[in-house]
C-alpha cells in the first residue's frame, strides 16, 4: 500500500479542466504483507490523461515495484536478492466528480514481468553451507491484480494534486538451479502502497 488523505471542500476556483495530458512526480510509501520482503520508498513518475467525469470506465495501471527479499537457506535467514515486478494492468472502475475533486475506485489486473538479482549472501550460503556450485536464479512471470482508490484535486488550471492507495497481489516463483538440483520457492510480494504527487498539464 496507513491513513488515506481525502480532499473535501471544493470551494471556488478554476479546475485543471483543459487537461489532455499532465506529467509530474510522486512520492510512495510501500508495505509488504510478507515480513521477508522490504519495499523501496521514494520518488516516481506521475501522469494524468484527460480530466474525468462521473461514470464507469476503463482503467489501466503499471505499479512497478522492487523489493529486497529474505529467505531461509540451510537453516539461516539471509538476504536472498532484489525482486523486481513490472506489471501492465487494465480493468474497470468508477469515477465520481465533485467540483475540483475526482474520486476513482477501480480493480485492474494483468501480466507482470518479474526478475531477480541474487544477493552475494545467498550465493555464498549455497556455496559454503550446502556445497552447491554453478548457482543460477530464474523467475517466472505472473498474473497480478490490484484494487485501488485515487483522488485528484485540481489546484489550478494547470496543476493537479493526486493521492492514491492500493493493494497489489503478486506471487511469482523463483527457482534456484545448482549442482544440487532445483530449489523452487513462491515469493509473496503482495504490497500495500500510498502515493502523493503533483502533475502539471502540458497540453
Amino acid at each position: 500500500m496507513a491513513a488515506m488523505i481525502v480532499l473535501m471542500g471544493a470551494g471556488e476556483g478554476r479546475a485543471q479542466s483543459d487537461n489532455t495530458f499532465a506529467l509530474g512526480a510522486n512520492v510512495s510509501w510501500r508495505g509488504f504483507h510478507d515480513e521477508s520482503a522490504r519495499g523501496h520508498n521514494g520518488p516516481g513518475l506521475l501522469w494524468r490523461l484527460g480530466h474525468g467525469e462521473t461514470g464507469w470506465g476503463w482503467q489501466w495501471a503499471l505499479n512497478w515495484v522492487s523489493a529486497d527479499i529474505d529467505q531461509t537457506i540451510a537453516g539461516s535467514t539471509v538476504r536472498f536478492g532484489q525482486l523486481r515486478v513490472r506489471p501492465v494492468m487494465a480493468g474497470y472502475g468508477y469515477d465520481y466528480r465533485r467540483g475540483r475533486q475526482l474520486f476513482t475506485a477501480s480493480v485492474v489486473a494483468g501480466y507482470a514481468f518479474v526478475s531477480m538479482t541474487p544477493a552475494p549472501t545467498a550465493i555464498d550460503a549455497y556455496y559454503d553451507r550446502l556445497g552447491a556450485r554453478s548457482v543460477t536464479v530464474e523467475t517466472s512471470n505472473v498474473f497480478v491484480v490490484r484494487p485501488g482508490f485515487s483522488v485528484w484535486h485540481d489546484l489550478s488550471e494547470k496543476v493537479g494534486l493526486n493521492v492514491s492507495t492500493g493493494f497489489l497481489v503478486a506471487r511469482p516463483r523463483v527457482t534456484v538451479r545448482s549442482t544440487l538440483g532445483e530449489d523452487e520457492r513462491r515469493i509473496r510480494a503482495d504490497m500495500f502502497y500510498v502515493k502523493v504527487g503533483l502533475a502539471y498539464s502540458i497540453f
Side-chain angles (χ1 to χ4, degrees):
M1 15 137 2
M4 180 65 192
I5 302 174
V6 180
L7 299 170
M8 304 298 289
E12 295 296 327
R14 301 289 298 278
Q16 197 180 14
S17 56
D18 295 331
N19 172 64
T20 301
F21 178 73
L23 186 65
N26 60 23
V27 178
S28 62
W29 294 268
R30 301 183 177 99
F32 285 80
H33 182 266
D34 195 324
E35 293 182 353
S36 66
R38 294 180 302 280
H40 298 160
N41 299 326
L45 187 65
L46 175 66
W47 61 89
R48 184 183 190 184
L49 297 175
H51 188 238
E53 298 297 337
T54 298
W56 293 94
W58 294 103
Q59 307 286 333
W60 65 283
L62 296 177
N63 288 120
W64 291 10
V65 64
S66 64
D68 294 325
I69 306 296
D70 293 337
Q71 290 285 283
T72 300
I73 301 175
S76 298
T77 300
V78 300
R79 177 68 56 83
F80 193 66
Q82 185 180 83
L83 182 74
R84 289 172 292 277
V85 182
R86 297 184 174 93
V88 178
M89 300 175 289
Y92 214 59
Y94 186 78
D95 294 330
Y96 174 71
R97 173 156 294 283
R98 180 182 181 273
R100 289 188 289 167
Q101 286 87 40
L102 180 70
F103 302 85
T104 302
S106 63
V107 177
V108 295
Y111 193 72
F113 300 92
V114 182
S115 63
M116 170 171 274
T117 301
T121 51
I123 300 299
D124 291 343
Y126 275 100
Y127 281 179
D128 301 336
R129 300 176 189 176
L130 298 177
R133 293 295 180 267
S134 302
V135 177
T136 60
V137 177
E138 297 180 3
T139 56
S140 64
N141 296 331
V142 66
F143 179 80
V144 298
V145 62
R146 190 229 65 188
F149 182 76
S150 172
V151 180
W152 277 100
H153 176 71
D154 298 330
L155 298 175
S156 68
E157 290 182 334
K158 291 291 186 178
V159 180
L161 170 67
N162 177 251
V163 180
S164 62
T165 184
F167 187 78
L168 178 71
V169 179
R171 300 177 182 179
R173 293 185 182 275
V174 174
T175 303
V176 180
R177 291 188 170 89
S178 70
T179 52
L180 300 178
E182 293 188 359
D183 178 11
E184 185 175 274
R185 301 164 183 250
R186 173 77 74 175
I187 305 296
R188 293 175 60 90
D190 302 346
M191 175 196 70
F192 173 80
Y193 69 86
V194 175
K195 298 181 180 181
V196 179
L198 293 170
Y200 183 83
S201 181
I202 298 175
F203 53 82

